[in-house]
């Protein structure tokens, strides 16, 4: 579904992504782990073209996305993203936040997005919060709204950048449950997370990134129990 070939990204003189080659298959759940600063967020941001890599190619559904020529707004509709900080509009209600994309970006007449928005809120367990403002919600609830908002664009792949890192520990589980359900429904997902329980349960593949390179990649069993690379072992010994 997504093919990344020889991707390189620099910020000034600093190389942040170094020859990334990665293929993400339909309905696959890929978890990316790695130390702070290893390039995880930058990689996700390159996949949905919030950042532009200097070198390398990205194909989505077999189609080469040429940043200068492709319609990046259409690409971003296909590739949903959930951030650590939820970025909800504070002055809009929960439902208004969820239908913002379909009504403003896709220009779908109001009724249909409202029906879908309510369904999505029910799906993330927040049917009763449609008409309140984000300030009334806990962090876990805000993040579930952010997931519903992203799903409202009907993406074919979802990227999650440390979606539970900003949450109080007791709120992490409710967000992970929603993500696991999505995975079970067959959503293609790339998830940057330190939640190793989620990775073990939900991931088809775990990728360890260090200094902008894919050091190791394998199924969760292998990466967590029998990592091959010393750098992977050393990283895991610090977080597990
Ligand atoms: P991670 O998500 O793994 O913590 P990032 O992708 O955020 O890593 O960052 C990788 C490296 O790129 C870091 O050294 C970071 O300081 C640098 N970086 C990230 N974004 C920018 C930016 N917009 N400008 C300059 N440097 C950046
Ligand atoms: Mg990051």
């Amino acid at each position: 579904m997504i093919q990344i070939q020889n991707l390189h990204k620099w910020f000034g003189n600093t190389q942040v992504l170094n020859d990334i080659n990665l293929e993400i298959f339909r309905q696959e759940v890929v978890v990316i782990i790695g130390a702070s600063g290893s390039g995880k967020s930058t990689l996700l941001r390159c996949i949905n073209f919030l950042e532009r890599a200097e070198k390398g190619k990205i194909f989505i559904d077999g189609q080469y996305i040429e940043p200068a020529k492709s319609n990046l707004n259409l690409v971003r509709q296909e590739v949903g993203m959930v951030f650590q900080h939820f970025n909800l509009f504070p002055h809009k209600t929960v439902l208004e936040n969820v239908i913002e994309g379909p009504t403003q970006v896709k220009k779908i007449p109001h009724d249909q997005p409202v029906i879908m928005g309510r369904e999505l809120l029910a799906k993330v367990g927040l049917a009763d919060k449609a008409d309140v403002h984000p300030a009334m919600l806990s962090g876990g609830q805000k993040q579930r709204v952010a997931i519903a908002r992203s799903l409202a664009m009907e993406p074919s792949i979802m990227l999650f950048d440390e979606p539970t890192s900003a949450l109080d520990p007791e709120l992490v589980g409710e967000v992970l449950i929603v993500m696991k359900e999505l995975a079970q429904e067959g959503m293609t997902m790339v998830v940057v997370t330190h939640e190793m329980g989620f990775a073990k349960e939900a991931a088809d593949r775990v990728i360890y990134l260090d200094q902008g390179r894919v050091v190791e990649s394998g199924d969760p069993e292998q990466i967590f129990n029998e990592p091959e690379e010393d750098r992977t072992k050393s990283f895991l010994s610090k977080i597990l």
Side-chain angles (χ1 to χ4, degrees):
M1 154 142 249
I2 293 196
Q3 222 179 337
I4 300 169
Q5 291 178 352
N6 310 110
L7 202 74
H8 294 255
K9 169 79 191 159
W10 285 265
F11 285 117
N13 293 325
T14 312
Q15 183 156 19
V16 179
L17 296 177
N18 191 343
D19 199 21
I20 302 279
N21 289 280
L22 191 61
E23 197 163 354
I24 295 149
F25 299 94
R26 196 172 295 280
Q27 301 203 323
E28 196 180 20
V29 177
V30 175
V31 163
I32 299 177
I33 59 173
S36 176
S38 57
K40 305 179 299 295
S41 295
T42 305
L43 177 56
L44 291 190
R45 293 169 64 82
C46 285
I47 295 176
N48 81 344
F49 294 88
L50 289 172
E51 294 284 357
R52 192 162 159 185
E54 280 80 15
K55 222 177 121 185
K57 288 184 175 175
I58 297 178
F59 298 78
I60 298 182
D61 276 334
Q63 198 188 348
Y64 170 46
I65 309 297
E66 202 170 352
K69 293 185 185 159
S70 303
N71 184 341
L72 296 184
N73 284 327
L74 277 180
V75 172
R76 288 190 200 110
Q77 289 180 23
E78 283 300 300
V79 184
M81 186 141 167
V82 173
F83 301 89
Q84 183 174 342
H85 298 285
F86 335 108
N87 310 329
L88 299 176
F89 293 113
H91 59 284
K92 288 180 186 283
T93 66
V94 163
L95 182 63
E96 286 165 354
N97 268 279
V98 173
I99 67 172
E100 168 82 13
T103 54
Q104 300 303 311
V105 180
K106 284 191 172 174
K107 310 279 183 205
I108 302 172
H110 196 260
D111 289 0
Q112 203 186 323
V114 165
I115 292 168
M116 186 207 226
R118 289 193 185 277
E119 279 170 11
L120 286 170
L121 284 172
K123 184 187 174 81
V124 300
L126 294 172
D128 56 335
K129 301 292 183 192
D131 301 317
V132 308
H133 283 80
M136 303 298 289
L137 303 180
S138 72
Q141 290 172 329
K142 282 181 197 164
Q143 190 59 300
R144 287 187 279 148
V145 173
I147 293 171
R149 176 186 54 183
S150 196
L151 292 174
M153 294 301 278
E154 303 187 287
S156 49
I157 179 164
M158 288 278 286
L159 312 178
F160 294 84
D161 193 359
E162 301 199 34
T164 60
S165 296
L167 301 178
D168 291 332
E170 75 274 18
L171 303 177
V172 168
E174 65 192 57
V175 173
L176 294 181
I177 285 172
V178 168
M179 290 169 62
K180 280 180 211 162
E181 282 169 1
L182 262 185
Q184 277 159 8
E185 286 169 17
M187 176 61 81
T188 309
M189 294 166 56
V190 182
V191 184
V192 172
T193 185
H194 301 295
E195 294 295 332
M196 295 304 132
F198 174 83
K200 284 177 185 169
E201 254 184 79
D204 297 300
R205 193 150 48 112
V206 175
I207 288 170
Y208 171 56
L209 211 62
D210 186 40
Q211 298 184 355
R213 283 180 180 275
V214 174
V215 171
E216 192 163 354
S217 149
D219 66 55
E221 284 278 292
Q222 187 256 311
I223 296 285
F224 293 125
N225 300 332
E226 305 161 41
E228 281 170 10
E229 301 291 330
D230 288 340
R231 278 186 284 174
T232 316
K233 285 178 199 162
S234 159
F235 174 73
L236 289 172
S237 73
K238 285 178 213 150
I239 58 158
L240 288 179

